[in-house]
Structure formats: structure tokens, C-alpha cells
Amino acid sequence: MGLALSQARAALDTRDVPIGAVVLNAEGVVIGAGRNEREHDGDPTAHAEMLAIRRAAKEVPGWRLDGCTLVVTLEPCAMCAGAISLARIPRVVFGAWDAKAGAAGSVLEVLRETRLNHWVEVFGGVREAECAELLRDFFANHR
Ligand SMILES: [Zn+2]
């Protein structure tokens, strides 16, 4: 989560909402990292998880991220939860819950939807206070 938080802080350089993500392989080595670059790229899909997943997928044969863990500072949205499922990532760790758009239990439950063919083990609220504070400070300074 420390590395994901570092990625999140780096998003502040481009005035993007500070959200960061990393993908670790089965050996615990970081094979993909990303930060929210929506404003920077002018791309509504440039979420931290999407960029980390794309980069991680280049580091493995094929596209399946079997055995990997995605760590992200904010509960994934529906798009990112969909990408996590499509990438076959078996484990997600996230920091702050997102009561407005979270798709790992807050608003929707995509990662553990039993009707889908891929289920994800989810650990939410890890270093939640730090992750939430970063977002709170950002929005407090942009009003
Ligand atoms: Zn997302």
C-alpha cells in the first residue's frame, strides 16, 4: 500500500485526483504501477488500476494476471472492477471505501458477483485513514 500511496501522491503533480495502484506478481514483485491520469491524459478511462493492469499485462506471457495482487488506494469503480475480473486477478487490496462509486461492495459488488465466472478475494480498508485523508485534503484544496 505504501507504493500505491506514492503513486497517488504523484498524481497531484498533474492536478489529478490522488489515486494510485500497483500490481504485484505471485512472488510479491511489482510488475505494474499507475496513478490516476484522467486530467493529464484527457482520458476518462485513465484510472490508476487500468494503467497498472495494462503495464503488468506487458510483463507476463499472454494477458492473464494469474497469481497477482492489485493494491489500490481507493475502492475500484465499476470499470476497474470489470478490468480486474477480465484480467483474472485473484486478489485486490484497497484503502479507502468509495460510497459514491465503489464496485467492491459499497455501491455495486462486481468483484464477488457469483454470477460472473471470476471471483476475487477482496481486502478493503487497508491503511484506510491515510488513503482517505489524501483524497479529503485534495478536495478541500480544490473548492
Ligand atoms: Zn476506476
Side-chain angles (χ1 to χ4, degrees), residues 5-71:
L5 276 161
S6 298
Q7 285 290 320
R9 289 189 193 98
L12 295 169
D13 296 344
T14 54
R15 297 177 179 223
D16 272 290
V17 177
I19 301 164
V22 293
V23 174
L24 304 126
N25 67 11
E27 286 74 45
V29 176
V30 174
I31 58 168
R35 60 179 187 268
N36 179 28
E37 295 188 19
R38 196 171 53 178
E39 304 297 332
H40 179 254
D41 287 355
D43 176 355
T45 71
H47 288 193
E49 301 96 309
M50 299 295 287
L51 300 176
I53 288 168
R54 286 182 190 137
R55 288 164 186 157
K58 292 192 195 312
E59 301 300 317
V60 299
W63 51 267
R64 286 180 182 80
L65 295 175
D66 292 327
C68 291
T69 300
L70 183 139
V71 181

